[in-house]
Amino acid sequence: HWCELEGSEHEWGFQVTVANAAMTKFGGDHPLFNYYLGHGISRVGKVRLEQGQQRALEDLREAVLALQKAVVPPETLTSYEHRLQNSKAYRALALALENAVMAAEQFPLHAKPAEPARLREQLAHTLGSWVAEHPDDLYARGEKVRIEGKLDLQAAPRERA
């Protein structure tokens, strides 16, 4: 996959371009294309956040929307590869939400009303769903513990993101 190659080279902007081209050519909302699109945008947003750019919050909002479409219901996962990809999508979504929380708190004048609290709640639900749907995934448990500790999140009941 060309998207994967660009990501492995840390060419996030190119990954976004390729994912958009694939979505145009092959038709819309495929979870894998949304994963690559959201992952690339999220990484661009993370870099901008680290550089103190307010545009990071916009990027991360966009990434979250794409990554939400990349996570699919567990009953549709028919193979190990599908489960693995779904867990990768959950991880990317959790990391995008983590960075979106930080961006909304760092740039409060650019955040929507109550956005930081809403993002925190969404992140807690996403982490809970990820662990519940992928209990054998060590990344899920590890990231949940790390992010909850870092952002002082309250545990949320299991709910699909």
Side-chain angles (χ1 to χ4, degrees):
H1 245 157
W2 193 8
C3 289
E4 198 168 330
L5 175 65
E6 296 298 351
S8 70
E9 297 293 323
H10 303 277
E11 296 289 348
W12 311 121
F14 288 126
Q15 185 179 36
V16 170
T17 300
V18 172
N20 273 321
M23 292 174 90
T24 300
K25 181 173 181 165
F26 298 108
D29 281 340
H30 188 279
L32 188 60
F33 297 150
N34 276 301
Y35 166 75
Y36 286 120
L37 176 66
H39 181 261
I41 295 170
S42 175
R43 297 304 298 251
V44 168
K46 181 181 181 192
V47 168
R48 287 183 171 151
L49 178 61
E50 291 168 349
Q51 294 172 345
Q53 297 180 29
Q54 297 170 353
R55 170 101 168 94
L57 182 55
E58 255 179 76
D59 292 335
L60 293 162
R61 286 179 187 136
E62 186 179 347
V64 166
L65 292 175
L67 291 164
Q68 286 171 328
K69 295 176 186 176
V71 172
V72 298
E75 61 273 7
T76 66
L77 304 173
T78 57
S79 69
Y80 172 78
E81 289 77 21
H82 290 138
R83 286 188 53 73
L84 180 62
Q85 180 56 43
N86 203 52
S87 188
K88 285 173 60 175
Y90 262 121
R91 182 170 192 259
L93 177 57
L95 296 176
L97 283 164
E98 174 188 12
N99 287 317
V101 167
M102 293 188 303
E105 291 174 351
Q106 184 173 335
F107 306 114
L109 297 177
H110 295 280
K112 297 173 184 171
E115 187 172 19
R118 184 186 54 76
L119 287 168
R120 284 174 168 276
E121 183 178 309
Q122 190 176 0
L123 177 54
H125 285 294
T126 296
L127 291 168
S129 295
W130 183 20
V131 168
E133 293 176 22
H134 299 275
D136 55 336
D137 187 334
L138 297 178
Y139 272 122
R141 285 181 274 163
E143 290 288 15
K144 184 176 187 295
V145 168
R146 181 189 67 76
I147 293 170
E148 285 176 346
K150 178 179 178 181
L151 297 179
D152 195 29
L153 292 179
Q154 302 302 312
R158 181 186 184 270
E159 180 176 304
R160 287 227 6 109

